[in-house]
Amino acid sequence: MLRRRGSILLSVMAFLLIFGAFESFRYHNFVQRQELYRYMLIEYRKPPTQVPVQNNTSQRGKPAKQPAKPPVAAQSVPVNKKDL
């Protein structure tokens, strides 16, 4: 089977185009990853900052109320052996 002129050249050019696109995509991801690592290191080296606490502006941060003491009748009373 005879090949037409330029079909090998066309195949090589298509391969180089696909390979170039793939490698440029990999390089782009590499650059983004390196930038992300740089920002992570910058944030890691910063001293921690304290977040101000709001005082009772919503129900979310309030501690639950403690139940009142039970009435005297409901409290446990020590049992004497002679009462049994």
Side-chain angles (χ1 to χ4, degrees), residues 1-13:
M1 184 169 164
L2 293 174
R3 287 198 174 252
R4 293 188 195 160
R5 275 194 198 171
S7 62
I8 294 176
L9 179 62
L10 183 62
S11 299
V12 169
M13 293 295 288

Side-chain angles (χ1 to χ4, degrees), residues 20-80:
F22 175 73
E23 286 298 319
S24 64
F25 182 72
R26 281 187 57 211
Y27 179 72
H28 182 329
N29 285 343
F30 170 75
V31 170
Q32 282 185 333
R33 197 167 45 248
Q34 293 300 322
E35 188 175 350
L36 179 66
Y37 293 156
R38 184 172 63 98
Y39 287 134
M40 287 171 65
L41 283 173
I42 290 171
E43 286 297 318
Y44 178 75
R45 290 178 181 154
K46 279 185 182 177
T49 57
Q50 292 183 350
V51 179
V53 178
Q54 295 180 352
N55 294 332
N56 298 331
T57 57
S58 68
Q59 294 291 337
R60 184 181 298 178
K62 289 185 178 179
K65 288 185 176 181
Q66 296 294 330
K69 288 185 177 180
V72 176
Q75 290 179 348
S76 62
V77 179
V79 179
N80 293 331

